[in-house]
Amino acid sequence: MIVNTPAIVLKSMAYGETSIISRCFSKNKGKISLIVKGAKSKKNPKISYFQPLSYVELVYNEKPNRALNVLSKVSFIESWQNIFNDIRSLSLSIALLEITEKTILEGDPHPELFQVLKNVLRAYNKNPDNPNLLFWFYECSLLTHLGFRPILEKHDLPGIILPDPNRGSKSGTILEKLMEEKIDQLPKETISKEDNKIISDYLWLLLCYHFDGLYNIKSVEIAKQILKPKSF
């Protein structure tokens, strides 16, 4: 079956001398893995389309029970090059891609979450004043769309006691606003270092509780270092 879908490139890796395998979050098919034959060939280079953060239109041949789909065509939909000019926005954007790659399943569509990720990356492309808010906004959305919407009044889950998200002067209010999923109405409150730490720790612990394999994400560790002492 021929599939045509918008997609955001999450990661790519070399495959042989001239080809690559790319993992993408597609609007219509969820997470997909593509083999891009000849991507590194001088005659027909496609590797530029499959850099992380690329927003592309894909056409590929989908076959049942096949782990890798073969790419037919690719074109850019939109460019987010401004993200690469700001180290904070770039680090957080790459971390969001890797978190997404680790948490969504192959062939399990989440078109609304795809739209959220697209909107967040568009916002990062505009060099936001507080990149942390967008990061938390996406964490809240991802938890919600994958069935684990935060319940701020519930601090204990089987095997773990979560930090009280309402402990800070404004942390609970900020989280409630973020969970409304209105990216054009992000909280405008001044965020103290205490609130910043509470929100970051709370959301990250929730993600790590519900999804395996998140603790050792290299891009998140880099983001932590870059954003100290203001962030997670």
Side-chain angles (χ1 to χ4, degrees):
M1 180 177 72
I2 301 299
V3 175
N4 190 322
T5 180
I8 296 167
V9 177
L10 302 175
K11 63 186 295 186
S12 295
M13 62 205 82
Y15 183 74
E17 293 185 4
T18 62
S19 300
I20 61 172
I21 293 173
S22 185
R23 194 73 55 81
C24 303
F25 182 15
S26 72
K27 180 179 180 179
N28 300 333
K29 292 290 183 176
K31 186 168 68 175
I32 57 174
S33 296
L34 297 172
I35 182 167
V36 187
K37 296 180 179 179
K40 296 184 286 184
S41 169
K42 292 182 180 179
K43 292 183 179 180
N44 188 25
K46 292 190 179 74
I47 196 166
S48 61
Y49 292 97
F50 292 97
Q51 301 301 313
L53 296 175
S54 291
Y55 180 34
V56 294
E57 185 77 22
L58 300 174
V59 180
Y60 65 91
N61 188 16
E62 181 182 63
K63 292 186 177 180
N65 304 318
R66 187 170 184 171
L68 287 174
N69 301 294
V70 179
L71 178 78
S72 298
K73 296 180 182 179
V74 60
S75 59
F76 284 114
I77 297 177
E78 193 173 318
S79 174
W80 298 322
Q81 287 301 310
N82 286 340
I83 292 176
F84 294 88
N85 298 328
D86 184 272
I87 190 64
R88 297 176 68 195
S89 292
L90 177 61
S91 298
L92 291 176
S93 296
I94 293 296
L96 289 184
L97 296 187
E98 199 161 355
I99 291 169
T100 302
E101 197 274 330
K102 295 287 187 183
T103 53
I104 61 175
L105 301 176
E106 293 270 356
D108 183 19
H110 289 280
E112 292 180 352
L113 181 62
F114 176 87
Q115 183 68 36
V116 173
L117 179 57
K118 182 177 71 173
N119 289 340
V120 166
L121 295 177
R122 278 178 172 167
Y124 273 129
N125 193 55
K126 297 177 181 178
N127 296 322
D129 293 331
N130 191 336
N132 292 21
L133 280 172
L134 288 170
F135 192 90
W136 300 332
F137 179 85
Y138 185 73
E139 284 183 310
C140 288
S141 293
L142 187 145
L143 285 163
T144 297
H145 288 280
L146 297 186
F148 304 108
R149 181 178 174 83
I151 302 173
L152 301 184
E153 296 76 22
K154 187 174 182 180
H155 306 154
D156 60 321
L157 294 170
I160 188 173
I161 297 177
L162 298 168
D164 182 0
N166 296 297
R167 192 175 78 247
S169 60
K170 298 178 182 177
S171 55
T173 301
I174 292 168
L175 281 165
E176 288 177 356
K177 191 74 173 176
L178 291 170
M179 287 193 293
E180 292 177 4
E181 292 198 80
K182 296 177 181 178
I183 197 168
D184 58 339
Q185 298 179 28
L186 292 177
K188 298 186 182 301
E189 291 88 350
T190 300
I191 302 173
S192 68
K193 290 183 180 180
E194 181 188 26
D195 287 333
N196 195 103
K197 180 172 174 52
I198 290 169
I199 295 168
S200 296
D201 289 350
Y202 175 75
L203 291 174
W204 185 241
L205 281 173
L206 268 182
L207 281 167
C208 291
Y209 177 82
H210 290 296
F211 302 101
D212 295 331
L214 292 184
Y215 275 111
N216 296 320
I217 294 180
K218 186 180 295 185
S219 58
V220 172
E221 292 304 314
I222 292 172
K224 287 180 181 180
Q225 296 302 316
I226 289 175
L227 296 177
K228 283 183 177 179
K230 294 181 179 181
S231 187
F232 58 95

